[in-house]
Amino acid sequence: MAEPRRTWAGWLRPDSRAADAVVTVVAVLVIAVPSIHSSTSYDGLGAGAGLLASLVMTVALYWRRSRPVASAVVIYAAALAHFVLGAEIVVADLLIPVALYSVTAHGPRWAGRAALAGALLGSLILGVSIGMADLSSSAATVIVTAAVVVVAWSLGLLRRSRLERVETLVERARRLEIERDQQAQIATAAERARIAREMHDVVAHSLSVVIAQADGGRYAAAANPDAAVRALTTISQIGRDALADMRRILGVLRDPTGGEEAGTVAPQPVDADLDTLVEQVRGSGVRVSLVRLGDSRPLPPGAGLSVYRICQEALTNVLKHAGPTAAATVMLQWLPTRLVLEVNDDGRGAAASSDGAGHGLVGMRERVTLFGGTLLAGPRAGGGYRVRAEIPLPPAPATMAGPPPPLQPAAWPAPEGHR
């Protein structure tokens, strides 16, 4: 791809090096040439000093913004040199206020103050040198040159203030852009984690039920064809439900408005749907019971879905790891300040095999952490496996009956199982 052509406006913008070169050339033609001509009015060493100082002071303008301190030092030194060597005033001395302006606007603050003091001192020296012949002319010279110096210094301060303000705005815009990108990355990572949890829960649970039904139907096909038919029916229904869930998740990803058309999105499951979940798992051949304790009340937004998904993942682990004869109990207990979900099974426990992924426990812990809760998962002391999730809740109304005594969980082993 060819580079875009630069226009004259681009080359000669005020902050370009080309603009500095143009200013220097103009200064040589407008100031240096007359200054050289004026230097010839002096005799001997003064004429040479005036000529050389005129060239040096003019050329030093090129670095007035890139190296303002060095440029000002050269101009001031050249002016002092030609004054001491006999050329008291040359046209190039008009560049002293320019150097003062440049070093005040673009250099460090100390350099601007030092340049101001040096220029005022030069005005006084010039006035004293003239005052030997005419006192009134001397005073007028000091006043006029000092006024010019102060005006140049004031303009430099205004320019410096504007440059600092622009730099502050640019830096603020850059920081806002970085913060915006960081927030977008955080939001993207959080959304990816949420979608990953949803897809893992849907796919893992559905496939576990399908596998359990397929294995049971295969063994029962020879002796009980009706059992095989029921297993195939369950597999078909589970597959349709999982496909609908996946379509819903993918539809949200494809839709830029964040959802599908009205009336086409099924409601997300909540804690009230645990009966349906338990019945579904029970249909796969696992003995599962559901116990509810306490008086239910509204949950914070999203907490009901988290309770459902945690229970779903725990029962999926029972199907995958507990063994063919395992039984499970789901307990949902409402306490005054928290909701407790506990899933126990009497399966293999610590002896269960692991697939090494461990995404299920990670997803459950992430869901609980979103609400400031805790999750404990691991083999039970007497055999089997336990998952216990506690989610903080707002205090129960005072009119509610006293809460049932909290369950005392069995002692937990130090290591946590990987499921």
Side-chain angles (χ1 to χ4, degrees), residues 66 74 88-89 110 163 229 235 267 273 286 304 318 339 358 367 398 408:
S66 59
V74 170
E88 295 182 352
I89 301 175
W110 65 265
L163 292 175
V229 173
I235 290 173
D273 299 316
V286 179
V318 173
L339 174 64
R367 291 185 183 276
Q408 297 297 327

Side-chain angles (χ1 to χ4, degrees), residues 18-108:
D20 291 339
V22 170
V23 170
T24 303
V25 171
V26 172
V28 168
L29 296 177
V30 176
I31 296 178
V33 173
S35 182
I36 293 172
H37 182 268
S38 65
S39 300
T40 58
S41 60
Y42 299 104
D43 297 329
L45 187 59
L51 188 151
L52 182 60
S54 300
L55 292 175
V56 170
M57 294 171 69
T58 308
V59 173
L61 281 181
Y62 181 75
W63 292 276
R64 64 186 181 86
R65 288 189 302 108
S66 59
R67 293 179 176 84
V69 176
S71 175
V73 168
V74 170
I75 292 175
Y76 276 50
L80 179 62
H82 78 70
F83 181 85
V84 172
L85 294 177
E88 295 182 352
I89 301 175
V90 296
V91 179
D93 290 337
L94 295 174
L95 299 180
I96 295 177
V98 177
L100 174 61
Y101 166 85
S102 299
V103 76
T104 304
H106 305 290

Side-chain angles (χ1 to χ4, degrees), residues 36-290:
I36 293 172
H37 182 268
S38 65
S39 300
T40 58
S41 60
Y42 299 104
D43 297 329
L45 187 59
L51 188 151
L52 182 60
S54 300
L55 292 175
V56 170
M57 294 171 69
T58 308
V59 173
L61 281 181
Y62 181 75
W63 292 276
R64 64 186 181 86
R65 288 189 302 108
S66 59
R67 293 179 176 84
V69 176
S71 175
V73 168
V74 170
I75 292 175
Y76 276 50
L80 179 62
H82 78 70
F83 181 85
V84 172
L85 294 177
E88 295 182 352
I89 301 175
V90 296
V91 179
D93 290 337
L94 295 174
L95 299 180
I96 295 177
V98 177
L100 174 61
Y101 166 85
S102 299
V103 76
T104 304
H106 305 290
R109 294 185 181 275
W110 65 265
R113 298 189 184 101
L116 173 63
L120 292 176
L121 179 60
S123 300
L124 182 61
I125 293 174
L126 180 62
V128 170
S129 65
I130 296 177
M132 295 178 180
D134 188 351
L135 186 60
S136 60
S137 299
S138 173
T141 301
V142 172
I143 293 174
V144 171
T145 54
V148 172
V149 166
V150 172
V151 169
W153 181 69
S154 301
L155 293 177
L157 288 179
L158 291 176
R159 176 62 175 171
R160 181 186 188 89
S161 176
R162 183 178 182 277
L163 292 175
E164 290 177 348
R165 184 167 62 253
V166 171
E167 184 178 355
T168 300
L169 292 175
V170 171
E171 178 65 18
R172 183 181 302 174
R174 186 185 67 84
R175 290 182 179 178
L176 289 175
E177 184 176 359
I178 293 175
E179 291 178 0
R180 182 197 62 191
D181 294 341
Q182 291 176 344
Q183 291 174 358
Q185 293 174 0
I186 293 173
T188 301
E191 185 64 13
R192 291 179 63 182
R194 185 187 68 82
I195 294 172
R197 288 195 300 268
E198 291 293 321
M199 295 184 69
H200 173 272
D201 293 342
V202 170
V203 174
H205 174 74
S206 301
L207 289 181
S208 297
V209 175
V210 167
I211 292 171
Q213 289 288 333
D215 290 342
R218 182 180 60 185
Y219 290 120
N224 189 354
D226 292 338
V229 173
R230 289 194 299 272
L232 292 175
T233 302
T234 302
I235 290 173
S236 176
Q237 184 60 42
I238 295 296
R240 288 190 178 93
D241 293 343
L243 182 59
D245 290 338
M246 292 297 296
R247 284 175 174 170
R248 184 182 70 249
I249 296 174
L250 296 177
V252 172
L253 292 177
R254 294 192 184 102
D255 190 354
T257 62
E260 298 176 356
E261 297 180 359
T264 63
V265 180
Q268 292 275 36
V270 293
D271 56 293
D273 299 316
L274 291 182
D275 297 277
T276 303
L277 175 63
V278 168
E279 190 64 31
Q280 184 184 75
V281 176
R282 189 181 294 131
S284 65
V286 179
R287 292 172 294 154
V288 184
S289 59
L290 174 63

Side-chain angles (χ1 to χ4, degrees), residues 193-202 249 268-269 302-313 359-375 389-392:
R194 185 187 68 82
I195 294 172
R197 288 195 300 268
E198 291 293 321
M199 295 184 69
H200 173 272
D201 293 342
V202 170
I249 296 174
Q268 292 275 36
L305 174 62
S306 294
V307 170
Y308 182 92
R309 293 303 190 196
I310 291 171
C311 183
Q312 184 183 50
E313 177 62 26
H359 297 303
L361 285 177
V362 173
M364 287 191 286
R365 181 165 287 107
E366 288 176 350
R367 291 185 183 276
V368 172
T369 304
L370 287 175
F371 300 95
T374 58
L375 178 78
E390 295 188 7
I391 297 178

